[in-house]
Amino acid sequence: VDHVLRAIDLCVERVTRLEEGRDDAIAPGGGPGGVGRLVLLTRWIPRGRGRAPEIALPDPRPVRHRLREALADAVRRISDLRDRGATLAGLAGTLPHPALGPFAARHWVRFADVHTRHHLAIVADVDRRRAIGVRKASHRPADEASEVGVEAP
């Protein structure tokens, strides 16, 4: 969960930088590369293919009540961005995603949604496996927990 919150923060921060035009890294045009375009169009990220950049790695010991507060704030901020969709769609310029290529503001908003849903699905699957006592053979329990930013039981 902490990783998802960090990723949302980064997406919102990129949109803000594009709105304010205050970044030397802003490119005048372009768009996501092939994989980035595919992720945004299908709204699907394959599991086990990518690694989070260092800036988005989760806190190894997140504080649960702070995570709940931060999640509520993140939901509000993403909702605010969605409400400004028409304005954001008209913004010029892109900022690079570390793996998926240059993103315009609208791409950052969509990516925040796709990425969050990807990790919520992982959390749901881990919870479901725990409920029935099944562990994924290719993962140790600590690996599963680290995927979602929580300690292993």
Side-chain angles (χ1 to χ4, degrees):
V1 174
D2 186 62
H3 163 70
V4 173
L5 294 172
R6 288 172 190 258
I8 289 170
D9 285 345
L10 290 168
C11 290
V12 170
E13 181 258 338
R14 298 299 194 280
V15 170
T16 301
R17 286 168 43 195
L18 286 164
E19 282 182 302
E20 296 174 355
R22 64 175 167 91
D23 192 311
D24 292 339
I26 294 174
V35 174
R37 194 171 23 255
L38 188 62
V39 164
L40 295 174
L41 286 173
T42 63
R43 296 179 180 256
W44 178 72
I45 300 172
R47 291 187 186 179
R49 296 290 179 191
R51 293 286 171 224
E54 189 170 329
I55 194 170
L57 291 176
D59 183 337
R61 303 240 184 247
V63 178
R64 287 186 187 267
H65 75 276
R66 288 191 188 147
L67 287 177
R68 286 188 188 102
E69 294 166 6
L71 186 56
D73 182 57
V75 167
R76 181 194 53 74
R77 289 184 299 138
I78 291 298
S79 180
D80 290 347
L81 289 179
R82 280 196 200 113
D83 290 347
R84 297 187 341 228
T87 302
L88 297 179
L91 289 176
T94 60
L95 283 168
H97 181 281
L100 303 176
F103 279 5
R106 70 183 187 282
H107 300 134
W108 285 108
V109 174
R110 179 171 286 198
F111 180 73
D113 181 57
V114 171
H115 180 262
T116 300
R117 291 175 189 274
H118 167 75
H119 282 284
L120 290 176
I122 291 170
V123 169
D125 287 350
V126 169
D127 284 347
R128 194 170 20 261
R129 285 196 306 264
R130 283 184 179 157
I132 61 172
V134 174
R135 298 265 184 226
K136 189 172 180 180
S138 64
H139 284 77
R140 296 183 325 259
D143 291 338
E144 279 185 5
S146 68
E147 286 181 33
V148 297
V150 297
E151 277 186 51

